């Protein structure tokens, strides 16, 4: 016997979705929240499980610098590591030696806090976006938290010397955030911290100037960003000695290898430990996205 119009309307997918939408939404957000909490707890658990108080690899440089601190003073903080001046990470390393007997606890705690804070700032930015609905904002923030809290991040957070990456990423995000809030002084401070945490962050000043121009800030504000950036970059190269390992000729003679390196780099952190072909593919997808 054919169904009536009323029966069809009641049993249609559209009617069902409309009727049970609050329950479905609650279930989805509750599941994402639980997944988010479990993910970050597992990351913290892995960092604690694989904790090793013995310095490894590049961190032995910190021990060597501590031995020379009495003779060289503040100069040891300005000594480049590879191509980077890691002044602010070095301060945290030396504080760990001074206050916690060099057990690498302070760098690990700070690195986890910086990484988590980066996510919280990004979630705050999404939460303030009135162009999308509150449900979309919450879904985006929770999903991003699950992605950022993937288990492979423990490899970076659990390495004390990689504190420079988590610190520089947080400072870059904060500097961009404070420019949008028209708090230029704070943006300049965290921009300088980023610059002297990783050489990659020398480019942050061009991005800040561009952002200020897009936001149509005053000429004085744009000028302050430009002057601070110029001084930060100029001082960065005072008594700077490059490693001399960069071969510009090979960079252009082997374009496929150059492309493979760039895509592998951009595939991080998900490409860490992957076969070369997988990392290159993932990095290419990230560039296209």
């Amino acid at each position: 016997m054919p169904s009536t119009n009323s029966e069809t309307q009641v049993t249609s997918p559209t009617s069902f979705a409309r009727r049970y939408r609050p329950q479905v939404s609650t279930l989805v957000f509750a599941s994402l929240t639980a997944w988010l909490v479990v993910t970050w707890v597992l990351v913290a658990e892995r960092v604690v499980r694989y904790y090793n108080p013995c310095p490894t690899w590049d961190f032995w440089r910190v021990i060597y610098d501590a031995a020379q601190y009495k003779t060289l003073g503040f100069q040891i903080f300005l000594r480049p590591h590879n191509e980077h001046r890691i002044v602010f990470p070095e301060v945290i390393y030396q504080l760990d030696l001074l206050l916690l007997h060099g057990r690498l606890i302070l760098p690990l705690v700070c690195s986890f806090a910086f990484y988590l804070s980066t996510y919280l700032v990004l979630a705050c930015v999404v939460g303030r976006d009135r162009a999308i609905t509150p449900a979309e904002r919450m879904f985006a923030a929770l999903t991003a938290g699950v992605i950022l809290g993937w288990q492979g991040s423990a490899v970076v957070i659990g390495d004390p010397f990689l504190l420079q990456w988590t610190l520089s990423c947080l400072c870059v995000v904060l500097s961009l955030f404070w420019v949008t809030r028209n708090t230029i002084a704070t943006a300049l401070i965290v921009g300088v911290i980023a610059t002297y945490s990783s050489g990659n962050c020398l480019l942050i000043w061009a991005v800040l100037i561009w952002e200020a121009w897009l936001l149509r800030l005053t000429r004085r504000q744009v000028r302050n960003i430009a002057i601070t950036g110029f001084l930060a970059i100029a001082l960065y190269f005072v008594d700077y000695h490059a490693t001399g390992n960069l071969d510009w000729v090979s960079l252009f003679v082997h374009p496929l290898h150059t492309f493979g390196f760039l895509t592998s780099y951009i595939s991080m952190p998900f490409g860490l430990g992957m076969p070369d072909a997988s990392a290159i593919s993932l990095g290419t997808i990230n560039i296209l996205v």
Side-chain angles (χ1 to χ4, degrees):
M1 182 177 179
S3 60
T4 63
N5 292 336
S6 60
E7 290 175 343
T8 303
Q9 184 178 3
V10 171
T11 58
S12 65
T14 304
S15 177
F16 178 85
R18 187 183 301 111
R19 181 177 180 181
Y20 294 100
R21 183 175 181 177
Q23 291 84 347
V24 174
S25 299
T26 301
L27 179 61
V28 170
F29 290 132
S31 301
L32 281 175
T33 302
W35 192 4
L36 172 71
V37 173
V38 170
T39 298
W40 283 90
V41 169
L42 289 177
V43 170
E45 186 269 337
R46 287 196 175 193
V47 173
V48 173
R49 181 195 305 176
Y50 297 115
Y51 163 71
N52 181 5
C54 180
T56 57
W57 296 355
D58 293 348
F59 205 90
W60 279 108
R61 158 202 164 98
V62 177
I63 310 300
Y64 179 75
D65 287 345
Q68 292 191 319
Y69 179 75
K70 292 183 178 180
T71 55
L72 297 179
F74 187 76
Q75 183 180 350
I76 66 168
F77 296 110
L78 299 176
R79 184 182 302 172
H81 174 71
N82 294 333
E83 290 79 21
H84 307 275
R85 290 194 189 273
I86 53 174
V87 176
F88 292 95
E90 288 275 17
V91 171
I92 296 177
Y93 300 149
Q94 296 300 327
L95 285 176
D96 181 71
L97 289 172
L98 180 64
L99 303 177
L100 300 174
H101 309 289
R103 290 178 291 181
L104 311 185
I105 295 177
L106 184 60
L108 292 177
V109 172
C110 289
S111 188
F112 183 86
F114 294 153
Y115 190 72
L116 178 59
S117 298
T118 302
Y119 161 64
L120 294 177
V121 173
L122 294 175
C124 178
V125 172
V126 173
R128 293 173 178 269
D129 190 352
R130 304 304 177 187
I132 56 178
T133 66
E136 291 172 331
R137 282 178 252 159
M138 184 178 297
F139 183 83
L142 292 175
T143 305
V146 172
I147 295 174
L148 285 172
W150 76 298
Q151 302 306 296
S153 61
V155 177
V156 176
I157 300 173
D159 188 336
F161 202 75
L162 294 184
L163 167 71
Q164 71 174 106
W165 299 114
T166 55
L167 174 57
S168 59
C169 286
L170 174 61
C171 290
V172 167
V173 171
L174 285 174
S175 62
L176 296 173
F177 173 77
W178 286 118
V179 169
T180 62
R181 304 294 293 173
N182 207 10
T183 311
I184 304 302
T186 307
L188 296 180
I189 292 173
V190 293
V192 170
I193 296 175
T195 302
Y196 288 89
S197 296
S198 175
N200 306 54
C201 297
L202 289 167
L203 297 175
I204 186 59
W205 299 104
V207 178
L208 290 177
I209 294 173
W210 186 30
E211 182 185 17
W213 179 76
L214 290 176
L215 295 174
R216 297 184 179 182
L217 301 184
T218 65
R219 292 184 179 180
R220 179 181 179 182
Q221 291 173 320
V222 176
R223 184 172 62 249
N224 289 340
I225 295 175
I227 293 175
T228 304
F230 174 79
L231 293 176
I233 295 173
L235 292 174
Y236 191 95
F237 291 100
V238 172
D239 197 27
Y240 181 86
H241 303 286
T243 59
N245 295 328
L246 181 61
D247 186 353
W248 288 100
V249 176
S250 298
L251 190 67
F252 296 102
V253 171
H254 303 284
L256 292 179
H257 288 177
T258 302
F259 176 77
F261 172 80
L262 292 176
T263 51
S264 298
Y265 189 85
I266 294 177
S267 72
M268 296 296 153
F270 299 102
L272 185 65
M274 282 187 173
D276 292 342
S278 300
I280 291 173
S281 300
L282 181 59
T284 303
I285 292 174
N286 285 342
I287 293 175
L288 294 176
V289 170

